[in-house]
Structures are given as structure tokens and as C-alpha cells.
Amino acid sequence: MNHLSKREIDSYISQQSEPNKSNLKVMREIILEIEPTLKQGISYGIPAFKLDGEVVCGIAARKGGCSYYPFSGSVLAALKNDLVTYKQTKSALHFNSPLPKTLVRKLMTQRMVQMMVKKKRK
């Protein structure tokens, strides 16, 4: 199952033009270095990384570069001081070169903490 999903991301990335293709490749490596247990797949049409069936983050190419999706409305707001220099929408952080690993770690940690809190409430 996971190999298939990994291939889906391979094929998504290979269809992109440069520099997006390289940026997505590096971002994927960074994400998996930070949390090697994440399952890869396509969610909402974009490469996504899941933990216990929930999406921690996604990455995608767009016309003007790439985007990082935290799959949560509050992650970007919570880290707004770290993100001053980046263009963003409510649901995505835009980048034209790979985000620094420290920043990706903060983004992912913020989301994973939210996921744990949500689980505890159930």
C-alpha cells in the first residue's frame, strides 16, 4: 500500500517543471527526515504525509512556485512570527526554494501536537 502511494508522489513530482520539481523533492526529503514514520500518499490531489491516518502536511506545485499545506487552519497563525517573510494564504505557505528544516520541523510539530490533543479529547 505504502509503495503504491510513494509512487503516486514520485509521479506527481516527476510531472512538474523545474524549479518546482527539485523543490518538492527536497521538501519531501526534509519532511521524511523529520518524521520517517509518515505514510506517503496523495490527498486532495497533492502529495501528503500521514501519521495514524491523519495528514500532517502536504506539498504542491503551483504556477508561481510551491506550497506547503499544514492541513489545519491554525498552524500558520500559531507560527506567524516565523513566517513573516513568506507569502501565504489561510491554508498554504508559498515557497520558491525549499523551506528551512527548522521551520518545517516547527510546522509539522505544531500540527502533530494538535492531532494528539484532538485524539485525547475523543
Side-chain angles (χ1 to χ4, degrees):
M1 145 82 202
N2 206 17
H3 285 304
L4 172 71
S5 312
K6 184 184 178 302
R7 275 211 294 277
E8 287 176 331
I9 296 186
D10 290 339
S11 110
Y12 176 97
I13 292 176
S14 68
Q15 287 164 28
Q16 308 309 319
S17 52
E18 292 295 359
N20 286 2
K21 185 190 284 190
S22 298
N23 288 336
L24 291 174
K25 271 188 188 155
V26 173
M27 282 296 290
R28 178 198 210 173
E29 284 166 20
I30 291 171
I31 289 165
L32 293 170
E33 260 173 48
I34 292 168
E35 191 51 73
T37 59
L38 294 177
K39 300 268 187 288
Q40 304 179 61
I42 299 286
S43 189
Y44 298 99
I46 65 165
F49 303 86
K50 295 182 177 178
L51 187 64
D52 302 329
E54 262 203 274
V55 179
V56 173
C57 60
I59 50 176
R62 359 167 244 110
K63 270 197 199 92
C66 297
S67 295
Y68 174 96
Y69 295 88
F71 276 79
S72 154
S74 56
V75 167
L76 297 180
L79 295 173
K80 64 174 187 286
N81 296 341
D82 295 284
L83 306 174
V84 201
T85 54
Y86 295 94
K87 286 199 174 91
Q88 50 182 298
T89 59
K90 230 173 110 129
S91 60
L93 186 62
H94 304 316
F95 60 92
N96 295 316
S97 58
L99 298 170
K101 189 172 180 179
T102 48
L103 181 59
V104 177
R105 180 178 278 117
K106 278 185 182 175
L107 289 160
M108 289 171 62
T109 303
Q110 184 75 25
R111 172 74 176 131
M112 290 189 280
V113 166
Q114 280 183 2
M115 286 161 52
M116 284 188 294
V117 168
K118 203 166 96 186
K119 264 203 184 85
K120 284 202 181 91
R121 283 205 197 117
K122 279 181 182 165

PDB file of all heavy atoms in Angstrom, residues 49-76:
ATOM      1  N   PHE A  49       1.484  13.616   3.647  1.00  0.00           N
ATOM      2  CA  PHE A  49       2.241  12.776   4.580  1.00  0.00           C
ATOM      3  C   PHE A  49       1.397  12.556   5.812  1.00  0.00           C
ATOM      4  O   PHE A  49       1.014  13.508   6.478  1.00  0.00           O
ATOM      5  CB  PHE A  49       3.578  13.461   4.904  1.00  0.00           C
ATOM      6  CG  PHE A  49       4.387  13.732   3.666  1.00  0.00           C
ATOM      7  CD1 PHE A  49       4.185  14.887   2.926  1.00  0.00           C
ATOM      8  CD2 PHE A  49       5.306  12.798   3.203  1.00  0.00           C
ATOM      9  CE1 PHE A  49       4.897  15.122   1.749  1.00  0.00           C
ATOM     10  CE2 PHE A  49       6.020  13.024   2.030  1.00  0.00           C
ATOM     11  CZ  PHE A  49       5.819  14.181   1.307  1.00  0.00           C
ATOM     12  N   LYS A  50       1.101  11.283   6.094  1.00  0.00           N
ATOM     13  CA  LYS A  50       0.144  10.967   7.159  1.00  0.00           C
ATOM     14  C   LYS A  50       0.775  10.251   8.330  1.00  0.00           C
ATOM     15  O   LYS A  50       1.730   9.491   8.168  1.00  0.00           O
ATOM     16  CB  LYS A  50      -0.967  10.057   6.604  1.00  0.00           C
ATOM     17  CG  LYS A  50      -1.834  10.702   5.561  1.00  0.00           C
ATOM     18  CD  LYS A  50      -2.918   9.734   5.113  1.00  0.00           C
ATOM     19  CE  LYS A  50      -3.829  10.413   4.113  1.00  0.00           C
ATOM     20  NZ  LYS A  50      -4.862   9.519   3.596  1.00  0.00           N
ATOM     21  N   LEU A  51       0.169  10.476   9.484  1.00  0.00           N
ATOM     22  CA  LEU A  51       0.545   9.788  10.704  1.00  0.00           C
ATOM     23  C   LEU A  51      -0.749   9.248  11.282  1.00  0.00           C
ATOM     24  O   LEU A  51      -1.698  10.015  11.477  1.00  0.00           O
ATOM     25  CB  LEU A  51       1.197  10.794  11.668  1.00  0.00           C
ATOM     26  CG  LEU A  51       1.810  10.243  12.947  1.00  0.00           C
ATOM     27  CD1 LEU A  51       2.975   9.319  12.630  1.00  0.00           C
ATOM     28  CD2 LEU A  51       2.287  11.400  13.826  1.00  0.00           C
ATOM     29  N   ASP A  52      -0.812   7.945  11.535  1.00  0.00           N
ATOM     30  CA  ASP A  52      -2.043   7.321  12.052  1.00  0.00           C
ATOM     31  C   ASP A  52      -3.277   7.724  11.248  1.00  0.00           C
ATOM     32  O   ASP A  52      -4.319   8.058  11.801  1.00  0.00           O
ATOM     33  CB  ASP A  52      -2.275   7.725  13.527  1.00  0.00           C
ATOM     34  CG  ASP A  52      -1.091   7.324  14.397  1.00  0.00           C
ATOM     35  OD1 ASP A  52      -0.449   6.302  14.080  1.00  0.00           O
ATOM     36  OD2 ASP A  52      -0.806   8.035  15.377  1.00  0.00           O
ATOM     37  N   GLY A  53      -3.127   7.756   9.936  1.00  0.00           N
ATOM     38  CA  GLY A  53      -4.272   8.034   9.076  1.00  0.00           C
ATOM     39  C   GLY A  53      -4.652   9.502   8.948  1.00  0.00           C
ATOM     40  O   GLY A  53      -5.554   9.846   8.198  1.00  0.00           O
ATOM     41  N   GLU A  54      -3.972  10.373   9.679  1.00  0.00           N
ATOM     42  CA  GLU A  54      -4.280  11.805   9.564  1.00  0.00           C
ATOM     43  C   GLU A  54      -3.151  12.530   8.867  1.00  0.00           C
ATOM     44  O   GLU A  54      -1.985  12.257   9.105  1.00  0.00           O
ATOM     45  CB  GLU A  54      -4.484  12.423  10.956  1.00  0.00           C
ATOM     46  CG  GLU A  54      -5.945  12.539  11.331  1.00  0.00           C
ATOM     47  CD  GLU A  54      -6.158  13.620  12.390  1.00  0.00           C
ATOM     48  OE1 GLU A  54      -6.022  13.301  13.577  1.00  0.00           O
ATOM     49  OE2 GLU A  54      -6.438  14.767  12.005  1.00  0.00           O
ATOM     50  N   VAL A  55      -3.506  13.475   7.999  1.00  0.00           N
ATOM     51  CA  VAL A  55      -2.484  14.197   7.256  1.00  0.00           C
ATOM     52  C   VAL A  55      -1.767  15.217   8.153  1.00  0.00           C
ATOM     53  O   VAL A  55      -2.406  16.043   8.790  1.00  0.00           O
ATOM     54  CB  VAL A  55      -3.095  14.920   6.029  1.00  0.00           C
ATOM     55  CG1 VAL A  55      -2.016  15.690   5.274  1.00  0.00           C
ATOM     56  CG2 VAL A  55      -3.762  13.912   5.100  1.00  0.00           C
ATOM     57  N   VAL A  56      -0.445  15.092   8.188  1.00  0.00           N
ATOM     58  CA  VAL A  56       0.378  16.043   8.944  1.00  0.00           C
ATOM     59  C   VAL A  56       0.659  17.262   8.061  1.00  0.00           C
ATOM     60  O   VAL A  56       0.596  18.401   8.502  1.00  0.00           O
ATOM     61  CB  VAL A  56       1.715  15.394   9.381  1.00  0.00           C
ATOM     62  CG1 VAL A  56       2.648  16.426  10.011  1.00  0.00           C
ATOM     63  CG2 VAL A  56       1.444  14.248  10.348  1.00  0.00           C
ATOM     64  N   CYS A  57       0.981  16.998   6.793  1.00  0.00           N
ATOM     65  CA  CYS A  57       1.248  18.102   5.878  1.00  0.00           C
ATOM     66  C   CYS A  57       1.190  17.623   4.436  1.00  0.00           C
ATOM     67  O   CYS A  57       1.217  16.427   4.170  1.00  0.00           O
ATOM     68  CB  CYS A  57       2.613  18.718   6.163  1.00  0.00           C
ATOM     69  SG  CYS A  57       3.996  17.572   5.978  1.00  0.00           S
ATOM     70  N   GLY A  58       1.108  18.588   3.541  1.00  0.00           N
ATOM     71  CA  GLY A  58       1.126  18.294   2.120  1.00  0.00           C
ATOM     72  C   GLY A  58       1.998  19.319   1.417  1.00  0.00           C
ATOM     73  O   GLY A  58       2.241  20.403   1.949  1.00  0.00           O
ATOM     74  N   ILE A  59       2.460  18.959   0.216  1.00  0.00           N
ATOM     75  CA  ILE A  59       3.227  19.908  -0.585  1.00  0.00           C
ATOM     76  C   ILE A  59       2.667  19.864  -2.003  1.00  0.00           C
ATOM     77  O   ILE A  59       2.151  18.835  -2.437  1.00  0.00           O
ATOM     78  CB  ILE A  59       4.739  19.573  -0.594  1.00  0.00           C
ATOM     79  CG1 ILE A  59       4.974  18.089  -0.939  1.00  0.00           C
ATOM     80  CG2 ILE A  59       5.388  19.941   0.735  1.00  0.00           C
ATOM     81  CD1 ILE A  59       6.446  17.688  -1.072  1.00  0.00           C
ATOM     82  N   ALA A  60       2.758  20.982  -2.711  1.00  0.00           N
ATOM     83  CA  ALA A  60       2.226  21.003  -4.064  1.00  0.00           C
ATOM     84  C   ALA A  60       2.937  22.053  -4.902  1.00  0.00           C
ATOM     85  O   ALA A  60       3.491  23.012  -4.378  1.00  0.00           O
ATOM     86  CB  ALA A  60       0.729  21.307  -4.026  1.00  0.00           C
ATOM     87  N   ALA A  61       2.886  21.836  -6.213  1.00  0.00           N
ATOM     88  CA  ALA A  61       3.410  22.830  -7.148  1.00  0.00           C
ATOM     89  C   ALA A  61       2.243  23.707  -7.578  1.00  0.00           C
ATOM     90  O   ALA A  61       1.116  23.237  -7.690  1.00  0.00           O
ATOM     91  CB  ALA A  61       4.016  22.121  -8.351  1.00  0.00           C
ATOM     92  N   ARG A  62       2.529  24.979  -7.786  1.00  0.00           N
ATOM     93  CA  ARG A  62       1.520  25.863  -8.375  1.00  0.00           C
ATOM     94  C   ARG A  62       2.217  26.697  -9.439  1.00  0.00           C
ATOM     95  O   ARG A  62       3.415  26.579  -9.619  1.00  0.00           O
ATOM     96  CB  ARG A  62       0.867  26.784  -7.336  1.00  0.00           C
ATOM     97  CG  ARG A  62       1.310  26.647  -5.942  1.00  0.00           C
ATOM     98  CD  ARG A  62       0.839  27.788  -5.051  1.00  0.00           C
ATOM     99  NE  ARG A  62       2.013  28.502  -4.573  1.00  0.00           N
ATOM    100  CZ  ARG A  62       2.381  29.713  -4.936  1.00  0.00           C
ATOM    101  NH1 ARG A  62       1.666  30.409  -5.777  1.00  0.00           N
ATOM    102  NH2 ARG A  62       3.469  30.253  -4.460  1.00  0.00           N
ATOM    103  N   LYS A  63       1.449  27.551 -10.100  1.00  0.00           N
ATOM    104  CA  LYS A  63       2.038  28.341 -11.190  1.00  0.00           C
ATOM    105  C   LYS A  63       3.282  29.095 -10.746  1.00  0.00           C
ATOM    106  O   LYS A  63       4.306  29.022 -11.379  1.00  0.00           O
ATOM    107  CB  LYS A  63       1.006  29.346 -11.715  1.00  0.00           C
ATOM    108  CG  LYS A  63       0.165  28.782 -12.844  1.00  0.00           C
ATOM    109  CD  LYS A  63      -0.516  29.924 -13.599  1.00  0.00           C
ATOM    110  CE  LYS A  63      -1.700  29.390 -14.397  1.00  0.00           C
ATOM    111  NZ  LYS A  63      -2.945  29.453 -13.653  1.00  0.00           N
ATOM    112  N   GLY A  64       3.190  29.807  -9.624  1.00  0.00           N
ATOM    113  CA  GLY A  64       4.298  30.673  -9.247  1.00  0.00           C
ATOM    114  C   GLY A  64       5.277  30.069  -8.266  1.00  0.00           C
ATOM    115  O   GLY A  64       5.999  30.790  -7.594  1.00  0.00           O
ATOM    116  N   GLY A  65       5.318  28.770  -8.121  1.00  0.00           N
ATOM    117  CA  GLY A  65       6.233  28.160  -7.152  1.00  0.00           C
ATOM    118  C   GLY A  65       5.600  26.957  -6.493  1.00  0.00           C
ATOM    119  O   GLY A  65       4.836  26.228  -7.104  1.00  0.00           O
ATOM    120  N   CYS A  66       5.888  26.763  -5.203  1.00  0.00           N
ATOM    121  CA  CYS A  66       5.349  25.610  -4.488  1.00  0.00           C
ATOM    122  C   CYS A  66       4.628  26.069  -3.224  1.00  0.00           C
ATOM    123  O   CYS A  66       4.800  27.195  -2.779  1.00  0.00           O
ATOM    124  CB  CYS A  66       6.468  24.657  -4.092  1.00  0.00           C
ATOM    125  SG  CYS A  66       7.330  23.940  -5.494  1.00  0.00           S
ATOM    126  N   SER A  67       3.838  25.167  -2.673  1.00  0.00           N
ATOM    127  CA  SER A  67       3.146  25.474  -1.428  1.00  0.00           C
ATOM    128  C   SER A  67       3.294  24.332  -0.439  1.00  0.00           C
ATOM    129  O   SER A  67       3.388  23.168  -0.820  1.00  0.00           O
ATOM    130  CB  SER A  67       1.648  25.687  -1.682  1.00  0.00           C
ATOM    131  OG  SER A  67       1.464  26.832  -2.477  1.00  0.00           O
ATOM    132  N   TYR A  68       3.289  24.711   0.829  1.00  0.00           N
ATOM    133  CA  TYR A  68       3.285  23.753   1.941  1.00  0.00           C
ATOM    134  C   TYR A  68       1.920  23.887   2.599  1.00  0.00           C
ATOM    135  O   TYR A  68       1.491  24.998   2.924  1.00  0.00           O
ATOM    136  CB  TYR A  68       4.386  24.125   2.947  1.00  0.00           C
ATOM    137  CG  TYR A  68       4.377  23.282   4.207  1.00  0.00           C
ATOM    138  CD1 TYR A  68       5.203  22.172   4.329  1.00  0.00           C
ATOM    139  CD2 TYR A  68       3.524  23.596   5.278  1.00  0.00           C
ATOM    140  CE1 TYR A  68       5.193  21.391   5.488  1.00  0.00           C
ATOM    141  CE2 TYR A  68       3.512  22.821   6.434  1.00  0.00           C
ATOM    142  CZ  TYR A  68       4.346  21.724   6.524  1.00  0.00           C
ATOM    143  OH  TYR A  68       4.325  20.955   7.656  1.00  0.00           O
ATOM    144  N   TYR A  69       1.226  22.765   2.756  1.00  0.00           N
ATOM    145  CA  TYR A  69      -0.105  22.777   3.371  1.00  0.00           C
ATOM    146  C   TYR A  69      -0.060  22.098   4.731  1.00  0.00           C
ATOM    147  O   TYR A  69       0.239  20.912   4.809  1.00  0.00           O
ATOM    148  CB  TYR A  69      -1.109  22.034   2.475  1.00  0.00           C
ATOM    149  CG  TYR A  69      -1.326  22.721   1.155  1.00  0.00           C
ATOM    150  CD1 TYR A  69      -0.518  22.439   0.060  1.00  0.00           C
ATOM    151  CD2 TYR A  69      -2.335  23.663   1.003  1.00  0.00           C
ATOM    152  CE1 TYR A  69      -0.702  23.077  -1.154  1.00  0.00           C
ATOM    153  CE2 TYR A  69      -2.531  24.314  -0.208  1.00  0.00           C
ATOM    154  CZ  TYR A  69      -1.714  24.015  -1.285  1.00  0.00           C
ATOM    155  OH  TYR A  69      -1.894  24.668  -2.476  1.00  0.00           O
ATOM    156  N   PRO A  70      -0.366  22.828   5.805  1.00  0.00           N
ATOM    157  CA  PRO A  70      -0.329  22.217   7.130  1.00  0.00           C
ATOM    158  C   PRO A  70      -1.596  21.418   7.454  1.00  0.00           C
ATOM    159  O   PRO A  70      -1.667  20.788   8.501  1.00  0.00           O
ATOM    160  CB  PRO A  70      -0.199  23.415   8.070  1.00  0.00           C
ATOM    161  CG  PRO A  70      -0.748  24.574   7.306  1.00  0.00           C
ATOM    162  CD  PRO A  70      -0.585  24.277   5.849  1.00  0.00           C
ATOM    163  N   PHE A  71      -2.596  21.430   6.564  1.00  0.00           N
ATOM    164  CA  PHE A  71      -3.847  20.690   6.790  1.00  0.00           C
ATOM    165  C   PHE A  71      -4.510  21.051   8.120  1.00  0.00           C
ATOM    166  O   PHE A  71      -5.095  20.215   8.786  1.00  0.00           O
ATOM    167  CB  PHE A  71      -3.633  19.172   6.677  1.00  0.00           C
ATOM    168  CG  PHE A  71      -3.700  18.698   5.248  1.00  0.00           C
ATOM    169  CD1 PHE A  71      -2.618  18.852   4.399  1.00  0.00           C
ATOM    170  CD2 PHE A  71      -4.858  18.131   4.738  1.00  0.00           C
ATOM    171  CE1 PHE A  71      -2.676  18.445   3.062  1.00  0.00           C
ATOM    172  CE2 PHE A  71      -4.927  17.720   3.410  1.00  0.00           C
ATOM    173  CZ  PHE A  71      -3.838  17.875   2.570  1.00  0.00           C
ATOM    174  N   SER A  72      -4.377  22.306   8.507  1.00  0.00           N
ATOM    175  CA  SER A  72      -5.014  22.803   9.718  1.00  0.00           C
ATOM    176  C   SER A  72      -5.078  24.313   9.602  1.00  0.00           C
ATOM    177  O   SER A  72      -4.106  24.945   9.175  1.00  0.00           O
ATOM    178  CB  SER A  72      -4.186  22.415  10.937  1.00  0.00           C
ATOM    179  OG  SER A  72      -4.424  23.340  11.986  1.00  0.00           O
ATOM    180  N   GLY A  73      -6.200  24.879   9.989  1.00  0.00           N
ATOM    181  CA  GLY A  73      -6.359  26.319   9.869  1.00  0.00           C
ATOM    182  C   GLY A  73      -5.521  27.121  10.839  1.00  0.00           C
ATOM    183  O   GLY A  73      -5.279  28.303  10.626  1.00  0.00           O
ATOM    184  N   SER A  74      -5.047  26.499  11.903  1.00  0.00           N
ATOM    185  CA  SER A  74      -4.389  27.298  12.942  1.00  0.00           C
ATOM    186  C   SER A  74      -2.865  27.180  12.984  1.00  0.00           C
ATOM    187  O   SER A  74      -2.218  27.922  13.715  1.00  0.00           O
ATOM    188  CB  SER A  74      -4.970  26.933  14.303  1.00  0.00           C
ATOM    189  OG  SER A  74      -4.832  25.549  14.509  1.00  0.00           O
ATOM    190  N   VAL A  75      -2.289  26.276  12.214  1.00  0.00           N
ATOM    191  CA  VAL A  75      -0.830  26.083  12.267  1.00  0.00           C
ATOM    192  C   VAL A  75      -0.088  27.347  11.818  1.00  0.00           C
ATOM    193  O   VAL A  75       0.809  27.827  12.494  1.00  0.00           O
ATOM    194  CB  VAL A  75      -0.396  24.865  11.420  1.00  0.00           C
ATOM    195  CG1 VAL A  75       1.114  24.846  11.213  1.00  0.00           C
ATOM    196  CG2 VAL A  75      -0.836  23.569  12.094  1.00  0.00           C
ATOM    197  N   LEU A  76      -0.476  27.894  10.664  1.00  0.00           N
ATOM    198  CA  LEU A  76       0.235  29.067  10.146  1.00  0.00           C
ATOM    199  C   LEU A  76       0.060  30.259  11.078  1.00  0.00           C
ATOM    200  O   LEU A  76       0.998  31.013  11.319  1.00  0.00           O
ATOM    201  CB  LEU A  76      -0.245  29.403   8.728  1.00  0.00           C
ATOM    202  CG  LEU A  76       0.016  28.321   7.662  1.00  0.00           C
ATOM    203  CD1 LEU A  76      -0.511  28.762   6.302  1.00  0.00           C
ATOM    204  CD2 LEU A  76       1.484  27.962   7.568  1.00  0.00           C
TER     205      LEU A  76
END
